[in-house]
Amino acid sequence: MTVYFIGAGPGDPELITVKGQRLIRSCPVILYAGSLVPPAVLEGHSAERVVNTAELNLDEIVALLAQAHGEGKDVARVHSGDPSLYGAIGEQIRHLRERGIAYEIVPGVTATSACAAILGCELTLPDISQTLILTRYASKTRMPEGESLAELAQHRATLAIHLGVGQLANIVAELLPHYGADCPIAVIHRASWPDQDQVTGTLGDILPKAQAKGFKRTALILVGKVLGAEGFADSSLYSAGHAHLYRSSSSTE
């Protein structure tokens, strides 16, 4: 018996991996985060037991996993996005290890990837940014030493900020000294869901635009010069003068 922590992707049911979909359709028990995972992700399943865990606490969830283990039944534990990123699977795994219950993590498409696709941009561009920092704004969960937003902003890398739209004014205030008022920013609400929405601007003008949208939760904030960048250098990957294992250089030099 195995508990499969499956990443359902950001919302669009077609953005789940083939492996994740196969396991959902084959496991006799499904536990899914109903507040974030759309029902369409579960279509085609033949499970004996399907439980929406949105209203359950950790102990109740672990009890269901242990019950399935006692019955010798595999479990599809379905989380939104990629379960390894803000998926709260660490504490579940700790309980499984204590009980000797086998588990496996099946990666999923992250909200960051979905938002980049929606914006039609690459998050790492030559001479602009070669680093992507995925983080969150400190609220109920405190940030470890050295990981405050102001400290991370000193790198001036591309930022993907989770769980922070309600603190957008504070986020902008912390980023302005490092990125400048003209730095592009995008706020994407419910990326890849049918009701997805977005607003783009700069650190200098984003606040009234976002307030007009009224986004309250389930939104990702992307910040960085890569958003809408023009005039950046071409990557060396496809340069005619760049030789690698599969292609010789066509340079005449």
Side-chain angles (χ1 to χ4, degrees), residues 82-169:
D82 184 291
S84 299
L85 183 63
Y86 304 117
I89 66 171
E91 53 265 45
Q92 297 175 67
I93 289 173
R94 181 165 55 199
H95 281 277
L96 295 181
R97 286 174 172 169
E98 291 172 353
R99 290 164 173 76
I101 299 175
Y103 69 91
E104 180 180 327
I105 299 173
V106 180
V109 174
T110 69
T112 298
S113 297
C115 289
I118 290 167
L119 296 173
C121 69
E122 182 177 351
L123 299 179
T124 52
L125 293 173
D127 301 329
I128 305 293
S129 177
Q130 290 290 287
T131 301
L132 170 64
I133 298 175
L134 284 74
T135 187
R136 62 173 297 169
Y137 191 76
S139 53
K140 293 180 181 179
T141 300
R142 292 179 296 178
M143 300 301 288
E145 183 178 353
E147 291 189 21
S148 70
L149 190 58
E151 289 171 300
L152 296 177
Q154 294 178 25
H155 298 284
R156 294 190 294 276
T158 306
L159 287 177
I161 305 171
H162 293 251
L163 308 169
V165 68
Q167 299 289 331
L168 185 58

Side-chain angles (χ1 to χ4, degrees), residues 4-252:
Y4 296 97
F5 291 98
I6 300 170
D12 182 344
E14 293 188 332
L15 291 179
I16 188 172
T17 65
V18 173
K19 182 174 183 177
Q21 185 181 69
R22 173 178 62 79
L23 288 168
I24 288 174
R25 292 178 176 178
S26 62
C27 286
V29 179
I30 297 175
L31 306 183
Y32 74 105
S35 60
L36 296 170
V37 176
V41 168
L42 308 184
E43 288 182 359
H45 76 78
S46 56
E48 305 166 12
R49 191 182 314 147
V50 180
V51 181
N52 180 350
T53 61
E55 297 181 357
L56 302 183
N57 61 40
L58 176 62
D59 290 340
E60 292 169 330
I61 292 170
V62 172
L64 290 172
L65 297 176
Q67 178 184 347
H69 174 70
E71 297 170 352
K73 296 176 179 177
D74 290 337
V75 178
R77 177 70 177 111
V78 188
H79 286 260
S80 62
D82 184 291
S84 299
L85 183 63
Y86 304 117
I89 66 171
E91 53 265 45
Q92 297 175 67
I93 289 173
R94 181 165 55 199
H95 281 277
L96 295 181
R97 286 174 172 169
E98 291 172 353
R99 290 164 173 76
I101 299 175
Y103 69 91
E104 180 180 327
I105 299 173
V106 180
V109 174
T110 69
T112 298
S113 297
C115 289
I118 290 167
L119 296 173
C121 69
E122 182 177 351
L123 299 179
T124 52
L125 293 173
D127 301 329
I128 305 293
S129 177
Q130 290 290 287
T131 301
L132 170 64
I133 298 175
L134 284 74
T135 187
R136 62 173 297 169
Y137 191 76
S139 53
K140 293 180 181 179
T141 300
R142 292 179 296 178
M143 300 301 288
E145 183 178 353
E147 291 189 21
S148 70
L149 190 58
E151 289 171 300
L152 296 177
Q154 294 178 25
H155 298 284
R156 294 190 294 276
T158 306
L159 287 177
I161 305 171
H162 293 251
L163 308 169
V165 68
Q167 299 289 331
L168 185 58
N170 292 330
I171 289 172
V172 168
E174 292 194 34
L175 296 183
L176 273 171
H178 305 283
Y179 286 84
D182 62 344
C183 181
I185 179 173
V187 182
I188 302 92
H189 178 254
R190 288 171 64 82
S192 83
W193 289 71
D195 60 344
Q196 81 175 30
D197 199 0
Q198 68 192 72
V199 61
T200 60
T202 66
L203 288 175
D205 66 16
I206 194 63
L207 286 178
K209 293 180 178 181
Q211 289 167 355
K213 288 288 188 179
F215 299 152
K216 301 296 183 183
R217 58 189 298 272
T218 322
L220 183 82
I221 302 166
L222 285 175
V223 182
K225 300 291 186 180
V226 296
L227 304 180
E230 298 290 346
F232 51 87
D234 290 342
S235 168
S236 63
L237 179 62
Y238 299 112
S239 170
H242 176 64
H244 55 67
L245 181 62
Y246 300 101
R247 188 185 69 230
S248 61
S249 171
S250 58
S251 172
T252 58

